[in-house]
Amino acid sequence: VRRRSLVTSEYRSDWKSPKKLVASFGVRALWLNLLPEAGDLAALFSLFFDNLSTMVSVGAAFLGAVGQGEPQANRLLYERIIPACSLMLFFGNFYYAWLATRMKAQFGRDFTAQPYGLNTVGAFPFVFTIMAVVRDSVSAESAAQKVTIAWQVGVAANFIVGCLNIGLGVAFAFVGNALFQFIPIAAMTVPIAGIGITWLAIAQIAPCFASPVAGFLSLYFVFVCYYGRTKLVIFVKGGALAATAAYIYLPEVLHTVAVGAGLGWAYQLPPAAAEGYKFHYSNIGVWAGTAFLDGFDYIADFWGTIIPIAVAASAGDLMCLVSAYKAGDPYPVAETMIFDGIGTLVGAFLGSPFGTVVYIGHPMHKRLGAKSAYSFMNGVAWVSLGLSGVVGIIIDVTPKVCVGPVIFVFGLMMCEECTRNTPQRHHFAVFFGIFFGLCDYFGADAQIPGSEDFLGIQKMRVGSLLISMVWTAICVYTADRRWAAVFGWALIGALFSALQFIHNEMDYDEFFTGSQTGGNDGRGSDDDPRYSTSPFQFMLGYLMISGVAVVCKGLQWLWPNAYPQPVDDATAKEGGAQPMRVTIGTMANWWADASHPPGSPPTPIGSGLSHLPAVPPLPVSRGAQSGYSLDRPRAMAESLPSAYTRATENYLNSPSSEMNRCARAPGFISRVI
């Protein structure tokens, strides 16, 4: 009898089969899967208010830092940016709901759609380090023109980020494993953690400490709900004390939003609470134009921010994908990166200076029981509210103490995911890489102007995301004693310094002299250049590091017994750290468990196996927690019915199986059972 597999553990892109792609839009394949369940409704509240929190915070930042009271900023926000973002959210959320149904069809089980929204990681740096700088420095006839030019530069920068994201996604499709062999996970996630702990965490909860009575409860409910996992019950079925009682809980985000909104209005904190407030909104609908081209005249000075934001967006995609993978839902990496780039390009055409990406909250939504419908419903809600002008009103009536803590918790999650996906031996590099984000956020105001401390912090700020990536990679490979990789990253640092992407504002006339004066000791006249801070000096510094790496590599090669050899995740002693599911240097096992989430028993594949007897309980002694080999799980398999025996034996013999990879870990079988 020839057996035909019902599901597969190997991903096959639907884009290679046009007939299969068209069929994925069918009623049963797509639209019936978009009918909501209880878990979808809870996840919808979480994702909608997360998107709303980002929109409110970024919109307020744009009006404050770029608008500075100029009415033109309000018109651009309400008539250009918000409609563009709303349409982007609709298409993006629908796309990822559709992707989840395609994954379900291919692997035979439900997938939770990836959450999607505005690129919070890039939005705040774009507001404060690009558009606000242009607003204050550009020459124009009126304040309205300054705001318009600043917006155009932001849209142009967003267009470039979209192009770079697509390029990185295409590159990953062909050389993904090669990139992982040279770019450590920490180098891609630490810059994001730096933004997470500053713009997404500290900046968002600062209003809570400015009005503690209005803000403390809103902030504390984040810890109660997300980390204490304690939520209010809004419905009990079957009797509260009954053993079979079923509970429906209030979504986590609503605790924070409800308390913050009530107390915020009690203290008259939102803009709409101001005396004489009037809201004016016109030209409802979507705008499209050439703003993304008009801003290129001013873009040259901001490559040090644009490039790392693009890399950070792709790295953020990767971190979210790894997070979803660890929760049991692997998704195609290159397709996700490319589509996020396309979504960002569409936003730039429509006048948005902010890109869109997948979010970090997939495991939380999966834990709620969400499938695909929540993502689709979120897109429908946003396109309805955004194109009708309601979002503009929501921004004005929402206090910051209401939405800030919602973004804050995702900033914390970024830092958590960074350490979870990084080996313990690299944690020092994580914290060192975050320093540059802190310098960018806080600046050098606490230092004496002109001192070495002041200038050093200023140089750590310029291109901080890119600096963090370079130094994190150097530190990671130094800890692993992979000196050739250290040499390569030091050369990249030297190149970025020479091109003035990092450490210095772009001015090639000052390549050797730098922009600072006062002599190298800081005690000279204003006519004496301070050569020590020039781009040339930074380039030399990185070249010296590359020279040390060459010497260390030579010593390691000449005297292998005297100088320690390279280490990797397989040979390093992590001191009890949890093993990584995705190791540096490979994604070969990405789809190994797609048919059954990690931690679940292997899924029997083949005809005639759909009705199998229950698995009898298998006691495991305490002594079995050490010294396990593959013989013991095979011995367990022998006690199972014949159908399970065949499936389990095939699973154990698979080189990519979870048990084959982990069976030698002490206590693994006891934890699985």
Side-chain angles (χ1 to χ4, degrees):
V1 178
R2 184 176 181 180
R3 302 197 174 198
R4 183 179 180 183
S5 296
L6 301 177
V7 293
T8 178
S9 290
E10 180 182 355
Y11 173 70
R12 300 183 182 93
S13 176
D14 294 337
W15 292 98
K16 296 180 180 179
S17 175
K19 184 181 296 185
K20 188 177 180 182
L21 200 65
V22 172
S24 67
F25 284 99
V27 174
R28 181 170 295 180
L30 173 62
W31 300 104
L32 290 181
N33 284 303
L34 298 183
L35 297 177
E37 301 177 12
D40 288 303
L41 296 177
L44 171 63
F45 278 108
S46 176
L47 181 57
F48 177 81
F49 280 104
D50 181 28
N51 293 153
L52 178 64
S53 301
T54 303
M55 189 77 78
V56 170
S57 297
V58 171
F62 177 82
L63 293 178
V66 181
Q68 301 178 18
E70 170 56 43
Q72 175 68 0
N74 295 72
R75 286 191 289 271
L76 291 174
L77 177 64
Y78 299 139
E79 300 175 12
R80 300 287 188 271
I81 298 174
I82 290 178
C85 291
S86 300
L87 202 61
M88 291 156 57
L89 289 176
F90 171 73
F91 285 119
N93 279 275
F94 174 78
Y95 184 88
Y96 284 111
W98 174 52
L99 178 58
T101 62
R102 287 162 45 205
M103 301 300 290
K104 176 182 178 180
Q106 182 163 161
F107 293 108
R109 66 174 180 84
D110 286 316
F111 275 65
T112 297
Q114 298 180 91
Y116 180 82
L118 294 182
N119 182 7
T120 316
V121 172
F124 289 101
F126 265 34
V127 169
F128 292 106
T129 64
I130 294 182
M131 289 188 283
V133 174
V134 173
R135 166 69 167 84
D136 294 335
S137 61
V138 70
S139 298
E141 296 180 358
S142 64
Q145 288 182 337
K146 290 184 176 182
V147 172
T148 301
I149 293 173
W151 164 69
Q152 291 172 342
V153 173
V155 174
N158 194 37
F159 175 81
I160 295 172
V161 168
C163 293
L164 292 175
N165 288 155
I166 293 174
L168 290 171
V170 172
F172 197 95
F174 293 99
V175 293
N177 275 338
L179 290 176
F180 267 113
Q181 291 173 1
F182 186 65
I183 305 177
I185 287 179
M188 293 184 285
T189 57
V190 170
I192 301 174
I195 293 178
I197 204 172
T198 52
W199 300 107
L200 307 188
I202 297 174
Q204 301 306 317
I205 63 172
C208 295
F209 287 84
S211 302
V213 174
F216 273 16
L217 273 185
S218 178
L219 174 61
Y220 181 63
F221 269 116
V222 165
F223 302 112
V224 171
C225 297
Y226 286 94
Y227 295 98
R229 297 193 177 182
T230 301
K231 297 173 289 184
L232 294 177
V233 175
I234 58 176
F235 179 74
V236 181
K237 182 179 180 181
L241 300 180
T244 59
Y247 301 91
I248 297 179
Y249 294 95
L250 189 70
E252 291 94 335
V253 68
L254 285 185
H255 293 72
T256 292
V257 169
V259 172
L263 293 176
W265 267 95
Y267 273 74
Q268 302 288 291
L269 296 179
E275 185 177 354
Y277 166 80
K278 291 182 180 180
F279 179 81
H280 174 72
Y281 188 87
S282 60
N283 297 329
I284 295 175
V286 178
W287 174 91
T290 60
F292 69 97
L293 297 176
D294 298 333
F296 272 87
D297 293 339
Y298 306 89
I299 210 71
D301 293 335
F302 303 102
W303 286 105
T305 300
I306 295 171
I307 291 178
I309 287 294
V311 175
S314 295
D317 282 348
L318 181 61
M319 187 166 68
C320 296
L321 288 162
V322 169
S323 176
Y325 166 82
K326 291 168 76 68
D329 289 349
Y331 278 99
V333 178
E335 181 176 341
T336 300
M337 290 183 175
I338 291 172
F339 180 78
D340 281 357
I342 293 174
T344 299
L345 283 183
V346 172
F349 287 128
L350 299 177
S352 173
F354 311 123
T356 48
V357 292
V358 293
Y359 273 8
I360 196 70
H362 172 277
M364 178 182 67
H365 296 144
K366 187 175 182 66
R367 192 167 62 243
L368 293 172
K371 303 293 191 303
S372 305
Y374 86 98
S375 181
F376 174 70
M377 291 189 297
N378 183 66
V380 172
W382 271 101
V383 76
S384 303
L385 297 176
L387 299 187
S388 63
V390 176
V391 173
I393 300 175
I394 294 176
I395 289 177
D396 284 356
V397 302
T398 305
K400 291 183 179 179
V401 296
C402 165
V403 296
V406 179
I407 300 179
F408 161 76
V409 71
F410 284 94
L412 286 186
M413 287 182 180
M414 289 178 180
C415 298
E416 286 183 292
E417 288 299 313
C418 180
T419 55
R420 285 192 186 123
N421 296 325
T422 304
Q424 190 176 15
R425 68 184 184 278
H426 297 157
H427 282 184
F428 80 97
V430 171
F431 296 112
F432 179 67
I434 289 176
F435 290 169
F436 301 99
L438 294 173
C439 290
D440 183 35
Y441 182 75
F442 290 107
D445 294 339
Q447 308 299 327
I448 300 174
S451 66
E452 291 184 355
D453 298 337
F454 178 87
L455 291 176
I457 292 177
Q458 292 290 344
K459 296 303 178 182
M460 292 171 71
R461 293 181 64 184
V462 181
S464 60
L465 288 172
L466 214 52
I467 301 171
S468 176
M469 179 177 293
V470 170
W471 273 99
T472 300
I474 289 174
C475 290
V476 163
Y477 287 129
T478 299
D480 289 350
R481 299 187 287 277
R482 296 172 61 178
W483 303 113
V486 173
F487 173 79
W489 276 100
L491 288 184
I492 291 175
L495 176 63
F496 286 167
S497 297
L499 296 175
Q500 298 177 35
F501 289 166
I502 57 177
H503 298 304
N504 284 277
E505 303 291 348
M506 195 170 290
D507 188 344
Y508 294 113
D509 293 335
E510 298 175 341
F511 179 75
F512 291 102
T513 61
S515 58
Q516 277 76 32
T517 59
N520 288 340
D521 57 4
R523 294 186 289 270
S525 67
D526 292 339
D527 295 330
D528 297 331
R530 187 157 188 159
Y531 296 99
S532 61
T533 60
S534 67
F536 177 71
Q537 296 285 321
F538 278 101
M539 184 186 71
L540 289 181
Y542 284 108
L543 291 177
M544 292 170 66
I545 294 176
S546 66
V548 172
V550 170
V551 172
C552 291
K553 180 64 178 179
L555 295 174
Q556 192 181 64
W557 178 70
L558 291 172
W559 292 286
N561 295 328
Y563 289 91
Q565 298 301 299
V567 298
D568 55 29
D569 291 324
T571 59
K573 296 180 180 180
E574 294 294 336
Q578 294 294 322
M580 294 176 62
R581 292 293 309 278
V582 180
T583 58
I584 296 174
T586 182
M587 290 191 71
N589 297 323
W590 188 257
W591 300 106
D593 300 318
S595 299
H596 45 272
S600 65
T603 303
I605 300 175
S607 60
L609 300 182
S610 57
H611 302 287
L612 294 174
V615 181
L618 297 175
V620 180
S621 64
R622 290 184 178 273
Q625 293 185 7
S626 62
Y628 257 78
S629 67
L630 288 179
D631 294 329
R632 292 193 65 85
R634 287 197 178 92
M636 292 180 181
E638 291 175 3
S639 65
L640 301 175
S642 59
Y644 272 103
T645 303
R646 290 193 300 271
T648 307
E649 279 290 333
N650 292 335
Y651 182 65
L652 292 172
N653 291 325
S654 172
S656 62
S657 73
E658 177 73 6
M659 197 170 289
N660 203 353
R661 285 183 279 123
C662 302
R664 290 185 174 84
F668 172 77
I669 298 300
S670 62
R671 291 197 300 272
V672 171
I673 297 298

